[in-house]
Amino acid sequence: MAASRLRVLVTGGAGFIGSALIRRLIAATEHQILNVDKLTYAATWGSVASVADHPRYGFARIDICDAAKIAEIFRVFDPDVIVNLAAESHVDRSIDAPGDFVRTNVIGAYTLLEAALGHYRGLPSARQDKFRFHHVSTDEVFGSLGATGYFRETTPYNPRSPYSASKAASDHFAQAWRHTYGLPVLLTNCSNNYGPFQFPEKLIPLTIVKALSGKTLPVYGTGDNIRDWLFVEDHAEALQLVFETGNPGESYTIGGSAERTNLTVVETICAVLDRLRPRGDGRRYREQIGFVTDRPGHDRRYAIDASKIKAELGWSPRHDFETGIEKTIGWYLANEAWWRPLIERDKAGERLGLTAR
Ligand SMILES: NC(=O)c1ccc[n+]([C@@H]2O[C@H](COP(=O)([O-])OP(=O)(O)OC[C@H]3O[C@@H](n4cnc5c(N)ncnc54)[C@H](O)[C@@H]3O)[C@@H](O)[C@H]2O)c1
């Protein structure tokens, strides 16, 4: 597909990954971007402030479940590509309030697919050839691995949390719209992301802001759950590559080949902070670590085999975990004005996911 100048509708673009994608697309392409976001608690203006006045950027505050407004957006913006990142994304919140996840992640994705199909059918064939619906998903849909093995595109789905079940459902709807109606769908399933502008409820930013606030650094269970970490800018590059050059109907698993236990991640953050911003009292940040009751149904290990996207599209991550975490911690140290109001406003970082349901 010619990637010269596309009209790209990004949903969830005021969130963590969506904003990284938009910042990249404005800086590195000629694409025209429309960011459609409901602005939930997870959205921040700061994440898109650097592009807000750019002539190739637009924003519309819309709920992706609102079929009439979404249809209108397709009419007015007339996209070549839609990248769906709008979602409820925090596993602990999905344990406490699964209904929000079913609504946005499943009904919202269905609403977008229907609008995209109507739009696609009305396009002339030359534009149909380049139209893409890119649904962004997670490796969590595959369930949990033992000590060995990897998730890849052919791994059967086995979601185990309300979050991953809702994402799995939306993946199936996206694939069904491809097979049943011929919509040119692309699907990506990525491992855990980290980097600038991540809401301080997820492990890495939560650990950084709690460390700097002198609070306990909560580690679930014994901290031996394993995740494969990817720096968000590398994910954004992969997403761009997939919707510009990926084959419609294909799915791609994306990961950083950076498996770490949660405890190792927290200890690494502590060690970097000891160097970059030593505590005033001469003690080490790791002394703030505290082990807390595990998340119910906590998946044991995720790991990605990203050889397909590497071989077919030429993608590989530019950051290893050490360079990515150093950049991330440096960013949080320099941007307290972004995260401090969030933790005060939303009590982010308080223990979620323990509701007795
Ligand atoms: N964060 C990760 O590690 C990770 C890894 C793999 C895949 N993903 C997937 O990537 C996508 C983005 O994740 P993220 O971490 O950036 O999430 P996020 O929570 O930071 O951002 C989600 C964005 O979606 C918006 N949104 C939520 N509900 C909406 C609705 N009904 N209508 C319109 N907008 C709505 C929010 O306002 C927010 O800006 C999600 O689909 C997630 O499942 C995330």
Side-chain angles (χ1 to χ4, degrees):
M1 177 172 62
S4 49
R5 183 165 191 163
L6 300 169
R7 302 178 64 75
V8 185
L9 196 168
V10 177
T11 70
F16 168 49
I17 301 171
S19 68
L21 176 65
I22 288 174
R23 294 192 304 275
R24 176 182 175 82
L25 295 179
I26 291 293
T29 74
E30 288 299 312
H31 303 333
Q32 185 81 31
I33 312 300
L34 180 65
N35 176 6
V36 166
D37 198 300
K38 178 184 172 185
L39 300 181
T40 68
Y41 79 94
T44 61
W45 283 120
S47 65
V48 281
S50 62
V51 298
D53 296 326
H54 197 284
R56 285 187 287 107
Y57 174 78
F59 173 75
R61 184 174 191 178
I62 290 175
D63 184 335
I64 59 164
C65 301
D66 187 333
K69 286 194 178 143
I70 290 295
E72 176 68 10
I73 281 292
F74 272 84
R75 248 191 324 275
V76 173
F77 184 63
D78 190 22
D80 301 304
V81 174
I82 165 159
V83 189
N84 180 28
L85 293 120
E88 291 291 341
S89 68
H90 190 35
V91 177
D92 287 348
R93 287 182 193 265
S94 83
I95 295 167
D96 287 351
D100 295 342
F101 288 70
V102 174
R103 186 178 175 282
T104 287
N105 299 1
V106 185
I107 311 285
Y110 156 76
T111 305
L112 290 171
L113 286 162
E114 280 291 81
L117 183 60
H119 175 73
Y120 173 72
R121 285 180 167 162
L123 292 175
S125 67
R127 285 202 56 206
Q128 281 189 340
D129 288 346
K130 66 175 184 173
F131 186 82
R132 301 286 184 268
F133 186 106
H134 181 168
H135 182 63
V136 178
S137 191
T138 164
D139 62 351
E140 301 192 28
V141 298
F142 300 122
S144 183
L145 290 165
T148 58
Y150 294 92
F151 297 137
R152 49 181 65 86
E153 292 78 5
T154 50
T155 304
Y157 276 40
N158 183 24
R160 294 148 48 103
S161 73
Y163 165 66
S164 55
S166 69
K167 292 299 294 185
S170 63
D171 292 10
H172 291 318
F173 276 102
Q175 297 288 34
W177 260 240
R178 161 74 183 163
H179 289 288
T180 309
Y181 306 114
L183 189 69
V185 166
L186 291 153
L187 174 64
T188 48
N189 297 90
C190 189
S191 64
N192 279 38
N193 282 215
Y194 65 100
F197 294 110
Q198 187 168 30
F199 195 83
E201 63 184 356
K202 309 271 169 72
L203 179 66
I204 287 179
L206 177 74
T207 301
I208 299 169
V209 306
K210 281 196 177 271
L212 294 173
S213 307
K215 300 210 170 121
T216 300
L217 310 180
V219 173
Y220 290 164
T222 55
D224 58 357
N225 300 70
I226 295 173
R227 301 291 179 262
D228 173 7
W229 293 95
L230 180 67
F231 190 60
V232 68
E233 290 169 15
D234 290 331
H235 188 193
E237 185 174 353
L239 294 176
Q240 181 193 341
L241 211 52
V242 167
F243 75 70
E244 285 183 353
T245 65
N247 292 319
E250 295 289 324
S251 72
Y252 301 88
T253 49
I254 305 170
S257 300
E259 284 184 56
R260 300 283 185 283
T261 66
N262 287 348
L263 184 57
T264 302
V265 168
V266 172
E267 287 176 340
T268 304
I269 293 169
C270 290
V272 175
L273 281 174
D274 283 336
R275 180 161 44 79
L276 297 182
R277 175 78 62 86
R279 279 174 51 135
D281 57 5
R283 299 175 73 174
R284 311 292 292 272
Y285 282 103
R286 60 176 303 151
E287 292 172 51
Q288 290 173 226
I289 293 174
F291 294 90
V292 300
T293 312
D294 207 353
R295 165 189 287 166
H298 202 173
D299 288 339
R300 185 106 206 108
R301 174 173 168 259
Y302 305 143
I304 289 276
D305 173 358
S307 52
K308 177 177 169 181
I309 187 171
K310 287 181 183 172
E312 292 187 9
L313 306 188
W315 174 86
S316 56
R318 294 179 194 274
H319 299 79
D320 60 18
F321 188 71
E322 283 62 41
T323 52
I325 201 74
E326 184 100 10
K327 261 196 185 180
T328 303
I329 293 171
W331 186 88
Y332 278 85
L333 286 173
N335 289 279
E336 186 164 343
W338 178 80
W339 56 261
R340 181 70 66 189
L342 296 177
I343 59 174
E344 277 154 20
R345 184 193 73 189
D346 285 307
K347 299 195 173 24
E350 289 193 355
R351 185 69 173 85
L352 299 169
L354 286 176
T355 309
R357 288 172 53 87

